[in-house]
Amino acid sequence: MKKIIAKHGLTAAVVSLLVLVFAFGGVYSRFMTAQIAARANGGTGTDYIDMMTGATSSEVFATADVVKTYALADDRGDFTPSVLASYRLSSDAGEIGVVYVVSSHGKFPGIQIAFAFDLATDEVVAVKVVAQAETPAYYGTLDAAFFAQFDGMALADVGLAVDAVAGATYSSKSFEIALLYAREHYAVDYGFQIPSIAITLNSLTRNFDLATFIAMPYVADVTYGEDDVNVVVYLDAAFDVAGVLSGTEPAADVKAAIKSLAAADASLNTRASFVQYDPDSRELVMQTKGYSSNPIRVTIVLNATLDAIVSYEVDSHETYSEEEAIEDSGYGGGEVPWVENSFIDDYRLDGVLDVDAVGGASYTSPAMKALVALLDQFLGSVGGGD
Amino acid sequence: MARFANVKAPYLRLTDDRKYGTGTIQRDFMIALLPVILFAFYKNGVLVYLDGNITLLEMFYPLVFILAGGFLSTLLEALFFIVTDKSVRTMKALGTKLSVSYAAIPGLLLAMILPLYTPIWVLLFGCIAATLVAKMLFGGFGYNVFNPALIGYLAVAFTLYGVIQDAGGALNASEVILDAAGGATPLGALVEGQGLSYAALVAPYGTLWDFFLGTIPGAIAETGSLAILIAYVWLVARKVIRWYVPAVYVGTVFLLSWAIGAIAGADGVWFPLYSILSGGLMFGAVFMATEPVTTPRNPLGKIVFALFLGVFTILFRFVGDLAEGVATAIVFMNIFTMPIDNWTAVIRSEFGSKTVFAKGAGRIKKPIPKYVVKLIVLVVLIALIGLYGVLKAGGMFSASILPFAGRLF
């Protein structure tokens, strides 16, 4: 034995070490491969058992094929989410819940959010972010209070919506899209009736009443219910009902439905908004969302008849060089706020905006176009127009 | 002109000084790898864990994978010594052999330039190619002709690429979510023909600053340009490498890329910066193109070698559509290390020398000195290959076709 060890011991030791490293590494790399594959497909079932109290097992199931499109915040177009994975959660007594892992769209696509629904109460019991690639500074503001709103959220709420966190609107909106879409799947898979009220949004317009337009920028004309009750209401910037212009104040569920309809209505220019108005100095502050996360603010002084611009000042944090690089076309203008000034100066010439866009400033241009269009509407309403 | 020390004998050999021994060089080399390895761990492990996209166990994998490469190549070399050298029968003898063979380096380097989700058996295959085939079969440390790590890499890349893709590829868990360019790395996006625009090549991964920091998709440790730059400064300060080799290599690629961009309409400096900061160029320039065994020894030879590396990298990347342009260029040029050394030695020794003719020799047609011929050949070769690469690549990416580029060849 000693002879064998003396002769072959070193070889055996080296080979054993090699096999050990190879085996350990092999197990580790297979584990990593399994994890990344599961992650690309919405996670593994065991990741979600702890989302529901009392759940002891999870089972993959094929959810129904549902196609729905949702508008992204700030007029960035439409998005069609998808369910990456769906799991039935069971306890010893039987099936108690369901988890949908939805691929949604915040600032960027690819945020994966899992919602757990309680089959007994039709409520949201847990939410989990499986993966995300949002801007860390903004996503990080989604705190415990934000996530707490989902606890016990009733799927039967006609105005099911997510309260956004200021400064993280896109990321917040991604949760709302995911939740609404998950509810659609829940409705098809489990026969859940998504509540709806017979309601029609007859019109959604801007409120240009000088006394109220800052706090309540929108006016919605709706008809609802079996009796076709008509009401015209003021809406605030978040589309919550803030006052009644005519008719009887509607109930809470109708208000929620009005909010949902107004928020989804794409007919209105909501990119630009009014911030402040001083009737004494006739100083109007407007803002619009361009490329920078800080909106472009324009302070405009109007004339006495409120139909022309006397002077203006732009506070902008745009970066034309980055927009130009993304758009990959030349920008030939001046430094910030050259683009913003160009739009306003053009409008001031004859009260008509002839500039469509400035090449290389593909984010700032539509933002300023929206602002000038809104200003034009405002002047047309409160003043004499041109 | 031959150089003589301007002092009397005896002369002290530098290698007799412990500070300049091979062991010291290899130690400094390993130290230089540290920031790059740590960055790889940070980018593919810590950062992804902090994003919430992997667990704690997964976080350590990049580090374990790199170390596994070093271990595997060391063990394979140990096995080779045991099998082939009868004098190696004890741990002490084996340890002595391994200590002067620097067995871990090929495996470490190989692991650093492989994609994150490379299966361990693929890494073992690469280590066998790197250590046993490219290094030991040629005679061991100091006798190899080709860069062992790159031979291992090319063996894996050309035969088992699909296996790596199926196992997860190069994107870590945070990058696979973004999937902005369909799972492609920045260089992969170029090779896949996504066009020569900032929007297609840079914007999906962030800005050029992200490219410099290294927070972009790529192999485990090759993307960290800042970390590699720190390593470069250390290696130059410790006199392990000559500063001009990576500088000439990267500079050549920068200039030629700028020319290609100018032809193709990609104005500005973003494209040449993208070219040098994506793929394994920085890593290859600092750690592979400066490898003392497989690259020329004299300074002029090193410069010529680096110039050829630059033009061939451009050729393989842009004309050959090869994402492994750097590795291929270095291994290809390893073949010519000796001829380059010989030619440049002649050029260096004869440059500026004057032929003295005896009195009364009459009018003799002075022959063209050999070193001039060699110099012209080298310069013309570099220029021709570079010009061809630029015009061909520029023509490929340009909407306006140049009169002859890309058409004749």
Side-chain angles (χ1 to χ4, degrees):
Chain A
M1 188 66 182
K2 273 188 182 174
K3 259 190 174 176
I4 294 171
I5 293 172
K7 195 174 179 185
H8 300 294
L10 192 59
T11 312
V14 171
V15 170
S16 303
L17 269 173
L18 196 63
V19 169
L20 200 68
V21 172
F22 181 67
F24 169 73
V27 169
Y28 205 170
S29 72
R30 284 181 78 93
F31 165 74
M32 290 294 292
T33 297
Q35 290 296 104
I36 193 69
R39 204 153 272 112
N41 292 306
T44 59
T46 49
D47 293 338
Y48 308 108
I49 291 177
D50 61 353
M51 290 181 78
M52 189 137 188
T53 308
T56 53
S57 64
S58 72
E59 180 201 346
V60 175
F61 77 98
T63 182
D65 194 17
V66 175
V67 178
K68 283 283 268 190
T69 301
Y70 300 87
L72 295 173
D74 273 355
D75 302 326
R76 288 180 302 143
D78 293 333
F79 173 71
T80 305
S82 60
V83 167
L84 296 173
S86 45
Y87 304 95
R88 296 189 211 279
L89 299 179
S90 302
S91 67
D92 296 331
E95 194 177 337
I96 58 172
V98 64
V99 172
Y100 294 102
V101 183
V102 180
S103 177
S104 186
H105 192 310
K107 169 84 175 179
F108 303 107
I111 179 169
Q112 298 179 10
I113 305 168
F115 283 100
F117 298 154
D118 189 329
L119 297 181
T121 59
D122 294 330
E123 286 177 351
V124 179
V125 293
V127 61
K128 188 184 217 175
V129 178
V130 177
Q132 55 84 19
E134 300 290 278
T135 310
Y138 302 130
Y139 181 79
T141 61
L142 301 182
D143 54 9
F146 171 80
F147 287 100
Q149 68 178 302
F150 295 101
D151 292 338
M153 193 180 262
L155 297 176
D157 185 357
V158 93
L160 189 69
V162 170
D163 290 331
V165 171
T169 314
Y170 297 162
S171 297
S172 304
K173 180 76 176 175
S174 71
F175 283 80
E176 186 172 287
I177 291 172
L179 176 61
L180 292 173
Y181 188 61
R183 185 172 72 165
E184 294 288 338
H185 276 265
Y186 184 62
V188 177
D189 293 335
Y190 289 91
F192 171 74
Q193 198 70 22
I194 295 177
S196 63
I197 294 173
I199 184 168
T200 305
L201 179 66
N202 301 317
S203 68
L204 179 67
T205 55
R206 282 277 184 179
N207 171 28
F208 293 119
D209 177 4
L210 286 174
T212 57
F213 79 109
I214 295 294
M216 299 182 289
Y218 308 112
V219 174
D221 183 329
V222 296
T223 305
Y224 66 92
E226 292 173 352
D227 300 328
D228 288 336
V229 177
N230 179 256
V231 64
V232 181
V233 293
Y234 287 114
L235 305 178
D236 63 16
F239 300 106
D240 286 307
V241 174
V244 177
L245 192 55
S246 71
T248 313
E249 184 172 358
D253 58 348
V254 177
K255 284 184 182 177
I258 292 172
K259 176 177 173 162
S260 290
L261 283 174
D265 188 271
S267 63
L268 209 61
N269 166 17
T270 57
R271 189 165 189 165
S273 59
F274 300 105
V275 178
Q276 202 176 302
Y277 177 66
D278 182 352
D280 297 322
S281 60
R282 296 187 301 281
E283 195 176 87
L284 174 69
V285 180
M286 299 178 69
Q287 71 178 22
T288 183
K289 184 79 170 60
Y291 178 77
S292 168
S293 55
N294 292 317
I296 302 166
R297 279 217 171 179
V298 183
T299 305
I300 301 165
V301 176
L302 302 171
N303 63 356
T305 48
L306 299 179
D307 56 10
I309 300 171
V310 171
S311 66
Y312 71 92
E313 192 182 326
V314 174
D315 176 21
S316 171
H317 301 269
E318 299 293 274
T319 45
Y320 306 145
S321 58
E322 287 184 20
E323 294 176 57
E324 172 195 20
I326 288 170
E327 191 189 308
D328 192 33
S329 68
Y331 169 72
E335 304 225 334
V336 174
W338 190 89
V339 172
E340 292 85 329
N341 291 348
S342 301
F343 275 86
I344 300 176
D345 289 339
D346 181 81
Y347 176 70
R348 280 180 83 184
L349 272 177
D350 54 4
V352 173
L353 183 62
D354 298 308
V355 176
D356 200 43
V358 173
S362 56
Y363 289 79
T364 309
S365 295
M368 286 308 298
K369 202 172 163 186
L371 184 139
V372 171
L374 181 60
L375 176 65
D376 184 54
Q377 282 182 282
F378 176 76
L379 295 177
S381 173
V382 303
D386 289 342
Chain B
M1 185 78 73
R3 291 187 177 83
F4 295 97
N6 203 16
V7 294
K8 290 184 179 174
Y11 305 110
L12 176 68
R13 283 194 310 170
L14 284 178
T15 49
D16 287 340
D17 186 335
R18 276 184 179 240
K19 282 197 297 184
Y20 295 100
T22 314
T24 309
I25 292 172
Q26 297 299 327
R27 183 205 68 191
D28 289 338
F29 188 84
M30 299 284 269
I31 291 172
L33 287 179
L34 269 179
V36 187
I37 293 173
L38 287 174
F39 174 77
F41 171 53
Y42 169 74
K43 178 219 163 196
N44 293 300
V46 175
L47 217 57
V48 184
Y49 174 72
L50 291 175
D51 280 347
N53 290 328
I54 56 173
T55 60
L56 193 66
L57 184 60
E58 292 169 79
M59 183 181 83
F60 289 100
Y61 184 74
L63 206 56
V64 170
F65 185 84
I66 293 172
L67 293 175
F71 273 122
L72 285 173
S73 66
T74 304
L75 291 169
L76 284 170
E77 206 163 305
L79 210 55
F80 182 88
F81 282 132
I82 292 169
V83 169
T84 59
D85 191 343
K86 287 190 179 140
S87 66
V88 177
R89 280 295 170 265
T90 61
M91 280 301 291
K92 191 179 176 185
L94 183 62
T96 307
K97 277 277 191 184
L98 289 175
S99 67
V100 295
S101 185
Y102 312 104
I105 290 178
L108 278 175
L109 290 175
L110 174 63
M112 289 165 78
I113 57 176
L114 283 175
L116 178 63
Y117 287 93
T118 302
I120 203 72
W121 69 268
V122 174
L123 176 62
L124 178 63
F125 174 80
C127 285
I128 289 171
T131 302
L132 295 183
V133 175
K135 183 179 171 186
M136 302 314 291
L137 289 183
F138 278 83
F141 177 72
Y143 295 94
N144 48 292
V145 174
F146 300 102
N147 187 300
L150 290 180
I151 291 293
Y153 174 73
L154 290 175
V156 164
F158 287 129
T159 60
L160 298 171
Y161 179 73
V163 172
I164 298 174
Q165 286 300 104
D166 289 342
L171 305 187
N172 62 40
S174 290
E175 291 158 351
V176 82
I177 305 304
L178 186 55
D179 203 17
T185 59
L187 205 55
L190 180 74
V191 168
E192 283 176 10
Q194 293 200 19
L196 215 70
S197 68
Y198 188 94
L201 299 179
V202 178
Y205 309 100
T207 64
L208 285 169
W209 180 244
D210 294 306
F211 276 67
F212 179 65
L213 289 177
T215 51
I216 57 170
I220 295 180
E222 71 176 10
T223 63
S225 297
L226 176 61
I228 294 169
L229 205 59
I230 293 169
Y232 167 67
V233 170
W234 165 257
L235 289 171
V236 169
R238 294 292 300 168
K239 296 190 170 90
V240 175
I241 66 173
R242 303 294 176 102
W243 70 268
Y244 45 80
V245 176
V248 168
Y249 184 7
V250 173
T252 306
V253 173
F254 183 92
L255 283 173
L256 295 181
S257 301
W258 178 82
I260 292 169
I263 294 171
D267 295 326
V269 83
W270 73 266
F271 183 64
L273 282 174
Y274 156 86
S275 284
I276 65 171
L277 295 175
S278 56
L281 179 68
M282 296 287 273
F283 191 93
V286 173
F287 296 111
M288 312 285 199
T290 55
E291 211 257 326
V293 177
T294 57
T295 58
R297 283 175 170 68
N298 73 77
L300 182 61
K302 289 179 189 295
I303 292 173
V304 168
F305 186 78
L307 285 168
F308 270 111
L309 282 180
V311 298
F312 276 119
T313 298
I314 290 291
L315 194 69
F316 294 148
R317 257 193 192 181
F318 295 112
V319 182
D321 267 355
L322 200 62
E324 292 84 11
V326 171
T328 311
I330 294 175
V331 168
F332 180 67
M333 284 309 300
N334 284 159
I335 299 170
F336 302 100
T337 294
M338 216 180 299
I340 290 175
D341 243 341
N342 291 339
W343 277 32
T344 51
V346 169
I347 293 170
R348 285 186 76 226
S349 65
E350 294 184 9
F351 188 82
S353 65
K354 291 179 183 169
T355 305
V356 177
F357 294 92
K359 281 186 184 176
R363 288 173 62 86
I364 300 171
K365 191 176 180 184
K366 292 177 188 173
I368 298 173
K370 278 186 185 170
Y371 78 88
V372 172
V373 173
K374 291 182 193 300
L375 190 60
I376 290 171
V377 167
L378 287 173
V379 169
V380 166
L381 268 175
I382 292 170
L384 278 178
I385 298 169
L387 194 65
Y388 174 73
V390 166
L391 293 178
K392 182 79 174 168
M396 280 163 62
F397 290 116
S398 173
S400 60
I401 307 297
L402 297 176
F404 52 87
R407 294 297 191 194
L408 284 181
F409 305 102

